[in-house]
Amino acid sequence: MPERGAGPVRAILFRLLVAATALTVTVFVVYLGRDGYRDVNEDGVSLLDAFYYATVSLSTTGYGDITPASDKARLINVLLVTPLRLLFLIVLVGTTLELLTERSRQVFRIKRWRDQVRDHVVVIGYGTKGAAAVDTMLSDGADPATIVVVDSDPERLRLAGGRGLVTVSGSGTRSEALRAAGVPRAASIVVAPNRDDTAVLVTLTARELAPNATIVASVRETENVHLVRQSGADSVVVSSETAGRLLGIATATPAVVNVIEDLLTPDEGFSIAERPVEPDEVGGSPRHLTDIVLGVVRADELHRVDAPLVDALEPHDRLLYVKKVTAPPEPS
């Protein structure tokens, strides 16, 4: 769970500084008043003896071989050494209690999040493809708190957590990791591992846990598309073949590739979006609208804009169209 606050190293260093300060002050006080202390060896109190006494006194060990003998030394112990001893104990016990409290608080936050999370997006694999998918969702206005990343690489999880995403450490092929990510209640699942066989297994596991979720998977080879679809994926993107086609198109018509890149970049220029049919558009043809319509989604099935079935729009249709996107103004 993303959380702001001081890092553990900084917190530990602060506590060590407080403890060292208490120890140093105690040594200084005891050494200055060393004439009022009695050592069982009867050889006086040296600087080393002062360190020894301060250590066993602050830690409440108290062996009794060095004791305050004079009234002045005992008064100083009551007024100065005892408060320093309490401060030392507070630092020691407080650190332990804070660790236990933080662990309990984190467990409570995770449990509360799991109970409340609904209709979120789970991204399984935060490599190049998974990170690009998250970039697109965030550019479209998605709330980072509604995106959960599942990966076994600590560095990838650190990068995802730094963007405000909820992260789960574990393999996407394991049911317990997907349950921890709330897959059974997710609206969409992005399967983006580095291997096609892993994509098949992850898709199978995710579909078993979330029968109604939309699963989008990525594979490297076309021959594995049918395996991923049979495993339960609603959509499959072939990364290597798509890149190869763009490379082939670029050799003859590079401007076409520029247009495709523009459509795939949601930050500026043009992008492909989806919207419901407006009431005044019902009954009309999608080819006669002001927007450039590419397809019509009817009853969860996509139809090309020139398909006779969707020549007359219906109230519950959704349109895939080309939307103009303007870059947000730069902060002054």
Side-chain angles (χ1 to χ4, degrees):
M1 301 292 293
E3 185 176 10
R4 296 179 180 179
V9 176
R10 183 176 179 181
I12 291 175
L13 290 177
F14 175 76
R15 285 165 172 76
L16 289 177
L17 178 62
V18 173
T21 301
L23 179 63
T24 303
V25 172
T26 304
V27 172
F28 180 75
V29 170
V30 172
Y31 188 69
L32 284 182
R34 58 186 179 277
D35 293 338
Y37 288 81
R38 182 173 59 232
D39 188 354
V40 293
N41 296 327
E42 299 295 341
D43 55 358
V45 177
S46 64
L47 181 60
L48 179 60
D49 292 332
F51 268 103
Y52 169 75
Y53 175 80
T55 302
V56 298
S57 179
L58 293 184
S59 62
T60 68
T61 304
Y63 293 114
D65 46 353
I66 299 178
T67 57
S70 66
D71 293 339
K72 181 181 179 180
R74 291 172 179 172
L75 180 62
I76 291 177
N77 261 263
V78 173
L79 297 180
L80 292 178
V81 177
T82 299
L84 290 173
R85 182 184 299 115
L86 293 176
L87 177 62
F88 192 87
L89 291 176
I90 288 173
V91 172
L92 178 63
V93 178
T95 301
T96 305
L97 290 178
E98 183 173 348
L99 291 175
L100 294 175
T101 303
E102 174 62 23
R103 180 174 299 178
S104 300
R105 188 161 61 93
Q106 183 74 348
V107 170
F108 174 76
R109 292 175 65 240
I110 292 175
K111 183 179 183 301
R112 184 178 62 180
W113 175 83
R114 290 179 181 174
D115 293 338
Q116 295 178 352
V117 66
R118 293 288 188 281
D119 299 329
H120 57 295
V121 179
V122 179
V123 179
I124 305 173
Y126 197 68
T128 302
K129 294 178 288 187
V134 171
D135 290 340
T136 301
M137 287 184 283
L138 294 178
S139 299
D140 287 339
D143 183 359
T146 63
I147 302 176
V148 183
V149 172
V150 179
D151 205 302
S152 57
D153 189 327
E155 179 62 21
R156 293 178 179 177
L157 294 177
R158 185 187 66 80
L159 293 175
R163 305 181 67 181
L165 309 177
V166 180
T167 60
V168 174
S169 177
S171 172
T173 60
R174 305 295 298 272
S175 298
E176 56 268 25
L178 298 187
R179 287 194 179 93
V183 163
R185 297 182 296 275
S188 302
I189 302 169
V190 177
V191 180
N194 295 324
R195 294 168 54 96
D196 287 2
D197 53 350
T198 305
V200 173
L201 185 54
V202 170
T203 304
L204 276 171
T205 308
R207 178 54 73 197
E208 181 182 11
L209 295 176
N212 300 320
T214 299
I215 299 180
V216 182
S218 171
V219 295
R220 299 174 62 89
E221 304 297 336
T222 306
E223 61 185 15
N224 296 321
V225 171
H226 73 285
L227 294 176
V228 180
R229 287 192 180 276
Q230 290 176 359
S231 300
D234 298 287
S235 300
V236 182
V237 178
V238 185
S239 56
S240 60
E241 183 174 301
T242 302
R245 288 178 179 175
L246 292 177
L247 291 173
I249 293 173
T251 59
T253 53
V256 174
V257 178
N258 293 334
V259 173
I260 295 176
E261 289 181 347
D262 187 12
L263 291 174
L264 294 177
T265 305
D267 297 330
E268 190 174 1
F270 293 97
S271 67
I272 300 176
E274 182 178 340
R275 69 171 178 85
V277 172
E278 300 292 340
D280 58 348
E281 296 172 343
V282 175
S285 173
R287 290 174 290 178
H288 299 157
L289 299 180
T290 304
D291 293 328
I292 301 176
V293 180
L294 303 178
V296 178
V297 179
R298 177 175 296 173
D300 295 330
E301 185 177 353
L302 176 63
H303 303 276
R304 287 174 41 175
V305 67
D306 58 350
L309 181 64
V310 295
D311 192 53
L313 294 174
E314 297 181 358
H316 299 291
D317 290 344
R318 300 188 64 84
L319 303 178
L320 296 181
Y321 70 105
V322 178
K323 179 178 68 173
K324 173 67 176 177
V325 180
T326 57
E330 297 183 359
S332 57

